[in-house]
Amino acid sequence: MTYESRPGLTRRMHVPKRRTGARLAAALTVSVLTLTACSGGAEEVEAGPAEVVELTFWDTDARTGRTERLETLIGMFEEEHPNITVEYVGLPSDSYMQKVDTAIATDSTPDLITMKASDISALVAQGALAPLDDRIEEAGLTELLSEGMVTSARAAAGDDKIYLTPTTSLTDVLWYRSDLFEEAGLGTPTTWDDFFTAAETLTDKETGQFGYTIRGGAGFWSQFVGMVLPMAGVASYFDEDGKAVFTQPEVVAAAERYAGLYNTVTAQSDLTADFKVMVAQFGGGSAAMLSHSIGSYPDHVAALGEENVMAAAAFPSDENGVRVQAGLVLGFSAFEKSEHPDEAWEFLQYVMEAEGDGYWAKESGYIPGNLEVAEQDWVKESQPIAVSLEAMAEEDTVPLDHPYYLPEFSAITGTELLPEWQKTLQGEQTVEEFMQKTAVLFNEARAAYDARQ
């Protein structure tokens, strides 16, 4: 792919090749003219190579398409900044936090890292990330960024500072195979009952086709809470008294309905299904529906084509008519102990400006944080983004308020609850027992947070 084929990119006309440090140093060797007193003429003198700074960049969700996109983004940045090279290091999405924690403990953190709002507070609590507020203001970026994403990035940190570039955001949607729906005579789902009916209709265990794929493995929480709380019409983890909502009757009932999908309209193997497995099932035709963010759109299009995949926003709750829409701000961060903070900032600034943000958001299927990019045609023409923005603009839509400010959030949802969820799916404990344990963990984390304030 060339830059010419990417709408929104207007400043360069070819894809840059990645440089090695040696190649770049040679490229930066400059010639200068100095006047020599003895000859009275000009003599060309070759100066030494300009200093090249190499940054290390950790990607916390390494996979083929994403890695290619990030390497292209890095190449674009390097072309704009010939004195900086960026070494890409991909980490698996299900274990990157262990790598990060080890690096913090051993003072071996990289310069840059991809970051999502749900991980921020745990790293801020350790003093690992560099605040960006002053640099964003001095660079004049404040007025160019989505106010909502900036607010979400601040709220996620727990200390009202920005550590994450509000480069992009995601919303959760229900993906459905429009070709399979049409074959079955099903219309676009618009209610929760439509969803459950379609899941049942499109399940044929004898042929290995299931109406839905449920995330039973790593990362299960985002799908679980993104389906259960909207079904219950509840938009926050905590009630007015600061108590976790997970034992409220309507929330338990929604969780029971959601868990009941497993092994009835889903494959039994979904017990350990992660993002990659779910996407593969959806693209391969063994699952007709999938709950995931709009960020998986490029994968679906690559497997199915635009004509066979559609997104639907969360449906209004049968309980109170409120549509609860889940979302997440994504971006990039710099580590506090980077030896090259100014060069690291150059990269962060680039991904918030129109060119960097425009490429990254479009190619990844994300909602851009740069307001200029948000007005580009591709944003309006993207079906999943259009569905998400339309839903969020409705009067009865409320954003799902995740307590990312709790430093324990990632540990609770990523480590502590996963085996409990799998026990629940296997019938080793009731959904109500699972929800009670969930409530205890969040109540403890909230109490600890409040005590620190």
Side-chain angles (χ1 to χ4, degrees):
M1 180 181 295
T2 64
Y3 286 172
E4 294 94 315
S5 65
R6 301 179 193 138
L9 293 178
T10 58
R11 296 173 59 181
R12 290 186 297 279
M13 300 304 290
H14 69 281
V15 176
K17 296 180 179 178
R18 296 293 312 281
R19 301 177 180 82
T20 64
R23 287 178 58 201
L24 183 57
L28 290 175
T29 298
V30 296
S31 296
V32 297
L33 294 176
T34 58
L35 295 176
T36 57
C38 58
S39 63
E43 179 180 358
E44 185 171 323
V45 178
E46 186 176 83
E51 181 180 0
V52 176
V53 171
E54 181 170 305
L55 303 176
T56 302
F57 176 103
W58 284 6
D59 175 23
T60 57
D61 187 14
R63 44 193 161 87
T64 302
R66 175 183 165 95
T67 295
E68 292 173 355
R69 294 190 290 273
L70 273 172
E71 290 190 330
T72 298
L73 178 68
I74 289 170
M76 294 165 59
F77 167 77
E78 289 176 336
E79 190 167 88
E80 292 277 336
H81 301 80
N83 64 319
I84 304 173
T85 62
V86 181
E87 179 189 13
Y88 172 91
V89 179
L91 305 178
S93 61
D94 58 353
S95 60
Y96 65 89
M97 281 303 286
Q98 293 96 311
K99 176 81 172 177
V100 172
D101 287 340
T102 299
I104 293 171
T106 57
D107 281 340
S108 57
T109 51
D111 301 286
L112 297 161
I113 188 169
T114 58
M115 186 59 59
K116 51 189 177 184
S118 53
D119 290 334
I120 283 287
S121 63
L123 301 182
V124 170
Q126 300 178 73
L129 300 180
L132 306 176
D133 304 70
D134 292 343
R135 287 186 182 271
I136 288 176
E137 183 175 352
E138 290 169 5
L141 290 168
T142 305
E143 303 301 321
L144 303 179
L145 300 172
S146 162
E147 183 178 353
M149 290 190 202
V150 171
T151 299
S152 295
R154 286 187 187 280
D159 64 359
D160 202 33
K161 295 182 181 178
I162 301 176
Y163 298 87
L164 156 75
T165 63
T167 304
T168 58
S169 70
L170 299 172
T171 60
D172 288 350
V173 295
L174 176 70
W175 294 105
Y176 64 98
R177 288 280 303 266
S178 54
D179 54 341
L180 298 181
F181 268 62
E182 184 176 352
E183 290 174 9
L186 295 169
T188 300
T190 59
T191 67
W192 290 107
D193 282 344
D194 287 348
F195 162 68
F196 282 96
T197 298
E200 184 176 349
T201 301
L202 293 168
T203 296
D204 184 349
K205 291 187 175 181
E206 291 186 0
T207 62
Q209 179 180 305
F210 297 91
Y212 186 67
T213 173
I214 197 168
R215 193 166 184 168
F220 87 97
W221 181 259
S222 58
Q223 273 69 48
F224 171 82
V225 78
M227 292 287 280
V228 169
L229 291 188
M231 270 196 277
V234 175
S236 174
Y237 286 40
F238 300 101
D239 63 17
E240 295 177 349
D241 298 322
K243 299 299 181 184
V245 301
F246 297 102
T247 55
Q248 292 182 358
E250 63 271 25
V251 179
V252 173
E256 288 174 336
R257 196 177 187 191
Y258 179 68
L261 294 167
Y262 174 67
N263 206 22
T264 55
V265 298
T266 79
Q268 186 174 16
S269 60
D270 277 4
L271 181 67
T272 57
D274 60 9
F275 162 76
K276 295 177 183 176
V277 171
M278 292 163 51
V279 170
Q281 290 186 32
F282 186 68
S286 59
M289 291 186 288
L290 160 72
S291 299
H292 198 261
S293 74
I294 60 174
S296 54
Y297 189 49
D299 297 299
H300 303 325
V301 171
L304 303 168
E306 287 185 1
E307 67 278 12
N308 292 322
V309 58
M310 299 289 284
F315 311 119
S317 169
D318 296 335
E319 294 286 336
N320 54 18
V322 172
R323 186 194 303 272
V324 178
Q325 187 71 35
L328 178 67
V329 175
L330 306 172
F332 304 81
S333 297
F335 279 93
E336 181 70 18
K337 292 189 176 180
S338 168
E339 294 181 356
H340 309 291
D342 292 337
E343 288 79 6
W345 164 251
E346 290 290 332
F347 183 84
L348 298 183
Q349 181 173 347
Y350 182 75
V351 297
M352 287 186 281
E353 294 175 338
E355 182 170 278
D357 188 38
Y359 169 76
W360 180 238
K362 180 177 184 294
E363 296 300 319
S364 303
Y366 298 158
I367 299 172
N370 184 289
L371 297 177
E372 177 184 336
V373 178
E375 293 299 319
Q376 294 176 357
D377 289 343
W378 71 265
V379 178
K380 302 169 186 174
E381 295 166 357
S382 167
Q383 191 269 337
I385 291 179
V387 164
S388 300
L389 295 179
E390 181 180 350
M392 288 191 291
E394 292 181 359
E395 184 177 354
D396 291 333
T397 297
V398 179
L400 178 55
D401 182 20
H402 295 279
Y404 294 141
Y405 55 87
L406 298 175
E408 298 87 353
F409 184 88
S410 291
I412 291 173
T413 61
T415 306
E416 296 186 63
L417 285 177
L418 176 57
E420 299 296 335
W421 173 239
Q422 292 176 326
K423 286 169 58 177
T424 306
L425 292 181
Q426 294 179 95
E428 296 176 4
Q429 68 179 351
T430 66
V431 172
E432 186 170 4
E433 289 171 329
F434 171 73
M435 299 300 274
Q436 289 171 345
K437 293 177 180 178
T438 301
V440 168
L441 290 171
F442 277 105
N443 279 331
E444 291 176 347
R446 174 67 181 265
Y449 174 81
D450 290 343
R452 291 191 294 269
Q453 303 308 301

